[in-house]
Amino acid sequence: MPSHDPLLQPFRLKHVTLRNRVVSTSHEPAYAEDGMPKDRYRLYHHEKAVGGVGLTMIGGSAVVSPDSPPAFGNLLLYRDEIVPWLRRLADDVHEAGAAVMCQVTHLGRRTSNFTGDWLPLVHPSPLREPAHRSVPKVAEAWDLDRIVADYASAAQRCRDAGLDGIELQSYGHLFDAFHSPATNRDQDPFGGGFEERTAFPRRVVQAVRAAVGPDFVVGLRMSMDEDSADGLGREEALRALGLYVGDGVDFLSVIRGSIGSDATLARVIPSMGTPSAPFLDFAGEIRRATSVPVMHASRISDVATARHAIREGLLDLVGMTRPQMADPHLVAKVAAGEEDRIRPCVGANYCLDAIYRSGEATCIHNAATGREQTLLHVQPAAPRRRRAVVVGAGPAGLEAARVLGERGHQVVLLEAADHPGGQVRLASASVRRRDLIGIVDWRVSEAKHHGVDLRCGTWADVATVLAEEPDVVVVATGGLPDPTFGGEGEHLVLDTWDVMSGAVHPQGRVLVYDDHGAEPALDATELLAARGALVELVTPERMLAPDVGSMNSPAYLRAFAEHDVTLTLARRLVGVRREGGGLVARLGSGYTDLVVERHVDHVVVEHGTLPNDELYHELVPLSSNRGAVDHPALLGVRPQPVAPDAAGTFQLFRIGDAVTSRNIHAAVYDALRLCSAV
Ligand SMILES: Cc1cc2nc3c(=O)[nH]c(=O)nc-3n(C[C@H](O)[C@H](O)[C@H](O)COP(=O)(O)O)c2cc1C
Ligand code: SF4
């Protein structure tokens, strides 16, 4: 029976019929190898196609010229060798029923002068971009001639490869740098009035259209209001769009804002703790003012909002990009009436920060995303049903129980606390980051769906575990805070768990010492400062929280600025002593012998966790594998070998922070690849 769901209605984009209204908008996951969309890249998009998406857009910021070197693993569209790779990807996506297009761009100054072919970056003005810090060369006429030609040949390669279309990127890159009065000023060689500023972008559109012919879809992803005093405003943007449509643009993907700094980019791609779909109404207004079909993505994270956008005619096509990184089968679940089983995008923006930190976009709580070569998004039934006991219902234990349950095993999940979640529950105590609890809630719901027996408030010792007569035991007991700093007075300090759990409410002058570099110290600082404490955040690092990336740091920095938190870099806590009614914190430095003192009321130390591994070590001698993990089998997602002469009756594994202090993604990845093969 045909569906009446607005999201599932087909849409005709020029000659291309999309099977539904849901799009994965252009994004670069940094999965390219040698600048090519090889197997990893292809399988990532193929999974979304299998999962029901109408249109998947590849090649976020795929580059047209060598003087636009990749900033984060972008595809090299200026190389002919890309065509067969694109063709294979397109064929596979088509076979799975989806359409596929590629974003095409010249990054301008939004990359590095010190990478790729080391050609100087070009821009209409000599202005430096705050985010990438590169100083560009002012473009000359010959630069524009060759770049226009490069755009045209890149577009032609996409067409030759059998893609359904392309999209030109026009926010924060070279194309829009010309039409924006903020980056192409009166005094710049190609600046001046509206006509001067739109001349280069128009040449690009015209050359691309001429190269691909009339029957190929050419879209434009454009900031329709740069939201800055000197930037492109809505009226001029609409005027420019009208020209580009006349020159050959077939659809518009609406962006609002600009991306030149971490702060503005974080507004364009909003994270948790911000309103849902902040620019949807704006996109709807733009749709009413233009003649071409309109798509838009920006934190339309839930199906109800996406459906509303289509039903109310705000959009023709709705982008759900991070939501399909979290769950590439989102559309299939909608079609199957299983919306409640969609793995939620919690807006952690771990995916974006991971591009720079680990060189690949990974979802905080879907470890299979981007790893389709080895991991499945849907678990097949295991060949033999086994009895499994998982100890600890933090992210690692919940994921283990969920996966084992999905594979059809009989699973008991034991949790000492009254509620599941472990450190994720603690982190979600931050009002701004409370959506993190979706990581826990979804797993609890899925685990129950698969018949997992979750027992909270159950302290597991060896006898409790053995009473279940398990074949497999997974210890996911997490870590415990380690507030050591290696100096006098460790007994005088608090840890960040004390603060986040609400066990203590430090007031007055608080020194937070972060020798970990991730979110916990920042969360504790934000919470303390919001409650009125006068906080100084001290780190021995040369930058603040190096493991918190540019998409997550803006919200912390805003909170710190609003609450006047003092930030102190390159200082190491070397001692704490009592004095009067308070404490004296002694701050040394790795760079000098000079020690300074701070008179405070409390010191809070964040230093990661130490494994809570007592139970594991007690179980090791009783197990058949002594807790050993065969790494080749783990990495190949093959069953762990069973020792033929082993006396123990169960296999024993340890995952997550029970092994060592890491993060949520590491915890779920540990669990997924181990349990997928049980
Ligand atoms: C890992 C990642 C990389 C991205 N790279 C690009 C890009 O290269 N070009 C682009 O136009 N948008 C890029 N985006 C933005 C997405 O296309 C989309 O606009 C954004 O994620 C907001 O939509 P969502 O809330 O549905 O995820 C990227 C997003 C992510 C998560
Ligand atoms: S990392 Fe966070 S924002 Fe990114 S896809 Fe996963 S849940 Fe969504």
Side-chain angles (χ1 to χ4, degrees), residues 16 48 65 71 125 201 235 246 287 321 432 459 541 614 616 628:
V16 180
K48 294 179 211 272
S65 306
S125 63
E235 294 319 314
R287 179 175 183 257
T321 304
R432 193 172 54 70
W459 177 260
E541 304 282 352
E614 203 177 315
Y616 168 77

Side-chain angles (χ1 to χ4, degrees), residues 178-179 193-203 240 243-244:
F178 277 86
H179 67 205
F194 177 76
E195 266 173 42
E196 285 81 11
R197 284 185 278 114
T198 49
F200 170 73
R202 292 195 67 183
R203 282 182 66 194
L243 294 178
Y244 306 149

Side-chain angles (χ1 to χ4, degrees), residues 25-28 60-61 72 103 169 171 221 269 297-300 319-323 325 351-352 355 361:
T25 58
S26 311
H27 62 288
E28 181 44 67
S61 313
F72 43 93
Q103 186 175 76
Q169 208 277 16
Y171 66 110
R221 189 165 211 204
I269 311 182
S298 190
R299 199 157 151 74
I300 303 174
M320 300 185 79
T321 304
R322 289 169 295 170
M325 294 181 83
C351 45
L352 279 143
I355 296 177

